Amino acid sequence: MKDAVPVRDAAGEEELTRAVAAARDGDEAAFRLLYRDTQPRLLRYVRALVGEDAEDVTSEAWLQIARDLPRFRGDLDKFRGWAATVARNRALDLLRRQARRPVADLPAEALAALAADGDAASLALDGMATEAALTLIAELPRDQAEAVLLRVVVGLDAKTAGKVLGKRPGAVRTSAYRGLRRLASRLAGDESAVSGAEGTR
């Protein structure tokens, strides 16, 4: 099973690569183009990390991205990786703040629902029901979930995803592979649950 990454439109990728340079030089239209391309990917990724606070976290991330963009150097893939790193850092900051605050006990089912809750902006994930896909991904071990989200949802290559996570590209590929295998096994198990149950009677 190969790592799954989104199929890229070469013309669109070239336009977005030019937009990175233009946005860095202050072109607002280019920045909007990058935002429209990158925000849905970041939102799905961050939603799996922090649940319903994802929009607030990505808003904070975009404030930092806009502020630091003139100093950014790199192509579209590096921009996406940098944006994912900024968003991940803001998400981890939020999780640390929440860990310090006392909270009411919640059942595990409620926490899983928070991590996978969807909104109108993310109705489709490459032809799959987004909420169902994110629910399944959120149930993976964290290293596998993040690797799958960065590779499949954000669309980063293993090297760039490794920089986001502070891991070697091979470790990211392995985590993504294991996560995708686990998802495939889970889906196959769901489809064969009825026949499997009948076979064990």
Side-chain angles (χ1 to χ4, degrees):
M1 179 181 200
K2 294 182 179 178
D3 280 348
V5 293
V7 175
R8 298 185 177 187
D9 174 2
E13 296 286 310
E14 289 175 18
E15 180 183 9
L16 287 165
T17 296
R18 287 191 300 272
V20 170
R24 189 175 51 229
D25 292 336
D27 185 324
E28 291 181 19
F31 185 84
R32 280 194 299 274
L33 183 63
L34 287 174
Y35 178 86
R36 283 194 302 266
D37 170 73
T38 309
Q39 171 62 3
R41 301 163 189 261
L42 290 183
L43 191 58
R44 291 179 188 128
Y45 172 53
V46 172
R47 189 173 305 286
L49 299 177
V50 300
E52 65 187 15
D53 293 317
E55 290 191 22
D56 291 338
V57 168
T58 56
S59 293
E60 289 178 21
W62 279 104
L63 288 173
Q64 181 179 342
I65 291 165
R67 183 191 70 214
D68 296 344
L69 186 57
R71 292 189 301 275
F72 172 78
R73 295 293 175 260
D75 60 9
L76 178 61
D77 283 336
K78 286 184 180 164
F79 175 80
R80 286 177 177 159
W82 174 60
T85 300
V86 171
R88 181 176 191 263
N89 289 340
R90 297 294 71 78
L92 294 177
D93 288 346
L94 174 68
L95 292 174
R96 280 190 286 271
R97 285 192 306 271
Q98 289 175 339
R100 288 187 219 120
R101 282 187 297 206
V103 294
D105 291 336
L106 290 174
E109 298 79 25
L111 294 175
L114 286 175
D117 193 21
D119 68 356
S122 54
L123 289 176
L125 173 62
D126 297 331
M128 296 173 64
T130 302
E131 288 186 52
L134 291 178
T135 298
L136 289 173
I137 294 170
E139 292 171 358
L140 293 172
R142 184 172 175 160
D143 65 323
Q144 294 176 15
E146 285 200 78
V148 170
L149 287 163
L150 288 171
R151 298 278 287 134
V152 178
V153 177
V154 180
L156 302 181
D157 60 25
K159 182 177 178 183
T160 306
K163 288 181 181 176
V164 173
L165 298 172
K167 296 183 176 181
R168 293 184 323 277
V172 173
R173 278 192 289 273
T174 299
S175 291
Y177 173 78
R178 288 178 178 161
L180 292 170
R181 290 277 301 204
R182 188 175 288 210
L183 288 173
S185 174
R186 176 97 185 266
L187 290 171
D190 288 347
E191 291 171 3
S192 61
V194 174
S195 61
E198 289 171 355
T200 57
R201 286 181 186 171

